[in-house]
Amino acid sequence: MSERYVVNGQTIELVLGDITDQDVDAIVNAANSHLAGGAGVDGAIHRRGGPSIMAETRRKYPDGCPTGSAVISTAGELSARFVIHAVGPIWNDGNSGEPALLASAHQCCLELAVKSGCRSIAFPAISTGVYRYPVDKAAAIAIGTSAQFLREHSTPNIIRFVLFSPNAYETFATALRSITTP
Ligand code: AR6
């Protein structure tokens, strides 16, 4: 399963799969503000990437990372060069600033990727697991923020969303189609 959309010569693509399998310059972790590790994507990245990732984030970011922001580290044993640890919001009621925080988490990841010379970046569906953000609302923000970023920047060349279930994939595909159909 895969689907793509070209914006300004760069590609947004959707794949069904595991974020830790992605052969890209940077993979995004769905982290928490303490950068303490956890379940879901975070657990998978630290398990497959090995202990050097946590050792580095502890050393470089002892105060963690605020919600709506992101920090970067090397990627240990993963095939990516970098892991960008993004902290999405916990879903409350949708009126507690969640959309702006989710958008800024994506924006920060893309800015860090550009600053570090990344040509490709893979995102999971940040906040839609343990943090309970509704997938359709998260997809609209993730895709919308990415498309806007590509309109304004000439890199990265590839922004990939890696969806873990067919249902999440279909929801992201609907969001992607809604921006591609005039
Ligand atoms: N690859 C791609 N997507 C995945 C994978 C994987 N290996 N594993 C899960 N997903 P979550 P959050 C999907 O919970 O909601 C952690 O404990 C999953 O189905 O990983 O931002 C952190 O430490 C869901 O759609 O992240 C934080 O405390 C999406 O990835 C907290 O969870 C995000 O689910 C962050 O919660």
Side-chain angles (χ1 to χ4, degrees):
M1 251 182 185
S2 81
E3 197 145 341
R4 56 188 51 200
Y5 172 53
V6 177
V7 190
N8 199 20
Q10 301 131 268
T11 304
I12 295 178
E13 58 186 32
L14 310 182
V15 302
L16 181 63
D18 185 324
I19 191 87
T20 62
D21 288 334
Q22 305 305 310
D23 194 7
V24 286
D25 290 331
I27 66 174
V28 175
N29 184 14
N32 55 67
S33 58
H34 302 293
L35 302 179
V41 170
D42 208 358
I45 285 179
H46 287 293
R47 230 175 3 256
R48 281 193 67 181
S52 68
I53 300 176
M54 184 74 80
E56 181 178 343
T57 55
R58 285 220 173 100
R59 191 175 68 247
K60 286 191 179 154
Y61 314 108
D63 298 329
C65 172
T67 302
S69 189
V71 295
I72 192 164
S73 73
T74 53
E77 289 157 38
L78 293 164
S79 66
R81 288 163 57 209
F82 301 104
V83 175
I84 300 179
H85 307 265
V87 184
I90 298 171
W91 177 262
N92 180 23
D93 56 2
N95 297 313
S96 310
E98 296 96 327
L101 289 167
L102 188 61
S104 81
H106 285 82
Q107 179 80 17
C108 285
C109 289
L110 292 166
E111 285 168 2
L112 281 172
V114 169
K115 229 190 252 176
S116 306
C118 296
R119 297 164 63 85
S120 53
I121 180 170
F123 282 93
I126 297 173
S127 285
T128 65
V130 173
Y131 284 177
R132 303 184 317 271
Y133 209 110
V135 182
D136 57 336
K137 293 185 168 61
I141 290 171
I143 298 278
T145 306
S146 300
Q148 189 55 33
F149 192 88
L150 293 186
R151 286 184 203 107
E152 294 166 356
H153 299 81
S154 55
T155 57
N157 301 60
I158 295 174
I159 300 178
R160 180 181 301 164
F161 288 94
V162 182
L163 292 323
F164 210 43
S165 69
N167 186 49
Y169 180 93
E170 270 316 314
T171 308
F172 269 69
T174 302
L176 189 61
R177 282 177 215 131
S178 81
I179 64 161
T180 59
T181 341

